Amino acid sequence: SSALAIYGSVGVLIVLITLGIEVFFSRVFSIDGPDAETARAVLLLAGLNVAATLVVSIPAGVLAGLQRYDKSAAAGIATLVFRTAAIVGFVYGGFGIVALATAHLCSQIFYGAVAWRVARHECQTLRLDRRLVSIDMAKQLWSYSAFVLVNNVGRVLLFGSSEVVVGSLLGTV
């Protein structure tokens, strides 16, 4: 619960920063016409994806702590199949980059649902409750997880930025 409070708060902060960037989008980026609306939509979806990734990393941490890498890998494989099917469907359907960004966000939500279910199955005492949030535990978790948080954000930016690269090379279709 304390980890969710920390990562959820950082996720909200990321969404707020994304919304702030979106407000000043036309001043920061020189994109005009329909491409600007597409880029704005992808920006918002990317911000939501980063926030979602932080939150869904919590059950992965629970599974790693329980040394259930097999279950964590199974959830990751199921998510990869889900994401790949969605991307292939969108590409063959002629949808554009907004659909691809949506597929990535939906796959994070899918992973979160699967991973939370698996983590709760593996750790029957796992509960999320606002009353279980502890400031002392949050401080202890933050002292450890600040590095992990930066690492996770970097990983998301590294592996989740392909949409931006593809969009900059191919344009927004």
Side-chain angles (χ1 to χ4, degrees):
S1 294
S2 297
L4 182 60
I6 291 171
Y7 275 38
S9 298
V10 172
V12 167
L13 180 62
I14 288 171
V15 169
L16 292 174
I17 289 169
T18 303
L19 290 171
I21 293 170
E22 198 274 335
V23 166
F24 297 104
F25 187 84
S26 60
R27 293 182 190 153
V28 176
F29 301 101
S30 58
I31 302 173
D32 296 322
D35 287 346
E37 292 307 312
T38 300
R40 279 191 159 113
V42 170
L43 172 69
L44 292 173
L45 288 165
L48 290 172
N49 192 21
V50 171
T53 300
L54 291 172
V55 172
V56 303
S57 68
I58 296 168
V62 170
L63 293 172
L66 296 171
Q67 297 184 5
R68 292 310 312 253
Y69 302 108
D70 57 332
K71 302 285 185 171
S72 181
I77 290 169
T79 302
L80 181 60
V81 169
F82 174 84
R83 181 184 312 130
T84 302
I87 289 171
V88 168
F90 287 145
V91 168
Y92 279 114
F95 295 97
I97 195 166
V98 174
L100 294 176
T102 302
H104 279 270
L105 176 60
C106 290
S107 70
Q108 284 299 351
I109 294 167
F110 176 83
Y111 175 78
V114 171
W116 277 110
R117 182 175 174 98
V118 170
R120 293 217 36 176
H121 181 265
E122 292 298 315
C123 182
Q124 310 262 323
T125 59
L126 181 63
R127 290 186 320 142
L128 295 176
D129 189 336
R130 175 177 41 171
R131 294 172 292 179
L132 296 174
V133 175
S134 159
I135 298 298
D136 291 335
M137 180 58 72
K139 286 179 183 177
Q140 186 178 357
L141 287 171
W142 182 256
S143 68
Y144 167 74
S145 65
F147 172 76
V148 174
L149 175 65
V150 170
N151 185 47
N152 286 346
V153 169
R155 188 188 70 211
V156 167
L157 293 175
L158 178 64
F159 294 113
S161 60
S162 59
E163 295 88 358
V164 175
V165 173
V166 169
S168 68
L169 295 175
L170 297 178
T172 55
V173 179

